[in-house]
Amino acid sequence: MDLHQKITELKKKKNAVILAHYYQVPEIQEVADYVGDSLGLSQKAAETDAEIIVFAGVHFMAETAKILNPTKKVLLPDLMAGCSLADSCPADAFQKLVEAHPDHTVITYVNCSAEVKALSDIICTSSNAEKIVNSVPKDVPIIFAPDKNLGKYIQKKTGRKMLLWDGACIVHEAFSMDKLLKLYKENPGSKIIAHPESESHILETATYVGSTAGMIDYVKKHPTEKFIVATEAGILHKMQQEVPEADLIPAPSEEDNTCACSECAFMKMNTLQKLYDCLLNETPQIEVSEEIRKKAILPIERMLELSK
Ligand code: 13P
Ligand code: SF4
């Protein structure tokens, strides 16, 4: 039996569900029960009746699933799979900012720790950030953390002035404008689509800006066109599967000289072997203290309610 078969049998036997992000390696996406963006994954985690959730993604995603499912086992194939954006916002420093602005509503991007969620009023993802910001009355000031690029983009879209945390994603900040423009010239008629964690000069070149799920939907609507895709290269697997006729080119990053793609080293820490081992041994497990969980679940539930 190969690993894929072994995982499929084991998950049935153990009543486990495998949730995977679009940035996971193709073989993990193929064995998953659901592949999606951060919002879709938290919605699935909220509604699953499986006893074990194997989260093929990064730590904050699995932690969100645990916050929503305190009695279930939530497993992450590699506990070191973190996120540079989540790391850019330590809870103690964030607490100081929140306490200094008691009149502000705190909207926090899901890419953050449980402790930071516990200090927040509403969580958002890249699919619903605009809607969440617009749900706050116009006269109420907003703190937006931790992604300054998404924050700047949403400020522009909503016309709201927000106090932005100075965080960023190493993968999305690595796209090279010069190389992107060169690639665009070499591919006349192509469309640039980008994730809002990218810097504003990249977003300004894009015909579509949205979450990973949004980008896939956009390509589905224009199935025969050519796209330069400015997000983590793992998305190309699902995108191409969904839209086989589309011509997809990964956007080049500053340091790529051998390949034209950007990869998230954290997302790529998970492998099919590690996924099998973690399901077999039911470790490593995600734990969140009850004190933090009780606070962190409130802004997540607010987001899920506003996203219906
Ligand atoms: P999405 O919610 O768009 O899938 O983004 C998650 C992420 O980590 C992007 O880097
Ligand atoms: Fe975090 Fe960036 Fe990786 Fe997404 S791509 S998980 S934001 S480091």
Side-chain angles (χ1 to χ4, degrees):
M1 250 202 298
D2 66 12
L3 266 182
H4 183 109
Q5 278 174 299
K6 283 189 191 170
I7 293 170
T8 307
E9 289 200 357
L10 204 52
K11 79 177 176 196
K12 248 190 237 153
K13 205 169 110 192
K14 294 195 175 207
N15 186 19
V17 67
I18 301 176
L19 306 179
H21 189 265
Y22 290 124
Y23 297 165
Q24 291 294 289
V25 290
E27 55 272 28
I28 290 185
Q29 294 192 33
E30 291 309 313
V31 82
D33 296 288
Y34 174 79
V35 185
D37 70 354
S38 305
L39 178 64
L41 287 164
S42 39
Q43 286 167 330
K44 284 283 165 200
E47 70 197 28
T48 185
D49 49 19
E51 276 159 50
I52 297 178
I53 300 171
V54 184
F55 215 111
V58 290
H59 192 276
F60 75 81
M61 295 178 172
E63 200 173 52
T64 304
K66 181 67 183 177
I67 292 166
L68 289 162
N69 294 283
T71 58
K72 290 178 182 162
K73 272 188 188 165
V74 177
L75 309 172
L76 180 65
D78 190 322
L79 217 45
M80 297 306 284
C83 168
S84 66
L85 190 46
D87 290 347
S88 70
C89 189
D92 51 352
F94 189 57
Q95 184 168 7
K96 283 188 189 130
L97 179 80
V98 171
E99 285 174 359
H101 299 85
D103 57 334
H104 284 51
T105 290
V106 182
I107 301 183
T108 310
Y109 190 40
V110 69
N111 297 41
C112 64
S113 66
E115 288 75 12
V116 168
K117 287 185 177 74
L119 294 162
S120 308
D121 295 310
I122 321 179
I123 300 302
C124 72
T125 74
S126 48
S127 343
N128 59 22
E130 189 179 345
K131 193 174 179 182
I132 303 283
V133 167
N134 280 329
S135 77
V136 177
K138 289 223 167 348
D139 55 337
V140 177
I142 295 173
I143 290 177
F144 189 92
D147 190 25
K148 63 176 175 198
N149 293 316
L150 175 65
K152 276 185 207 160
Y153 174 70
I154 297 296
Q155 270 192 160
K156 219 171 147 189
K157 287 216 92 177
T158 60
R160 297 289 289 266
K161 207 174 144 23
M162 305 190 294
L163 186 54
L164 302 181
W165 186 264
D166 188 17
C169 158
I170 40 170
V171 178
H172 288 86
E173 284 220 318
F175 292 122
S176 156
M177 190 64 185
D178 290 349
K179 288 185 187 175
L180 179 66
L181 293 179
K182 188 167 170 281
L183 191 64
Y184 183 65
K185 272 194 200 145
E186 289 163 2
N187 292 277
S190 60
K191 286 192 161 86
I192 298 173
I193 55 173
H195 194 280
E197 285 173 20
S198 312
E199 289 176 288
S200 47
H201 56 266
I202 301 283
L203 298 181
E204 274 153 26
T205 67
T207 43
Y208 176 80
V209 176
S211 75
T212 50
M215 291 168 86
I216 293 175
D217 284 346
Y218 186 78
V219 173
K220 274 189 189 164
K221 286 185 194 137
H222 307 84
T224 54
E225 298 198 31
K226 192 187 265 195
F227 295 94
I228 299 177
V229 183
T231 193
E232 210 269 358
I235 197 175
L236 296 169
H237 174 68
K238 190 53 126 201
M239 213 175 241
Q240 198 73 78
Q241 236 177 16
E242 298 268 336
V243 197
E245 321 89 275
D247 195 350
L248 306 174
I249 312 168
S253 69
E254 209 66 72
E255 283 168 29
D256 288 337
N257 289 319
T258 47
C259 91
C261 55
S262 285
E263 295 215 325
C264 172
F266 302 110
M267 285 279 181
K268 295 318 196 248
M269 280 179 182
N270 297 325
T271 62
L272 200 61
Q273 181 68 51
K274 287 184 197 171
L275 196 155
Y276 172 70
D277 292 343
C278 93
L279 184 54
L280 181 70
N281 304 317
E282 300 183 15
T283 182
Q285 270 195 57
I286 300 291
E287 300 294 352
V288 180
S289 79
E290 197 49 20
E291 192 198 340
I292 293 292
R293 195 195 71 80
K294 274 190 193 151
K295 290 182 192 156
I297 196 168
L298 302 174
I300 299 173
E301 283 181 341
R302 263 176 224 132
M303 170 187 81
L304 294 175
E305 195 50 44
L306 283 165
S307 306
K308 275 182 185 162

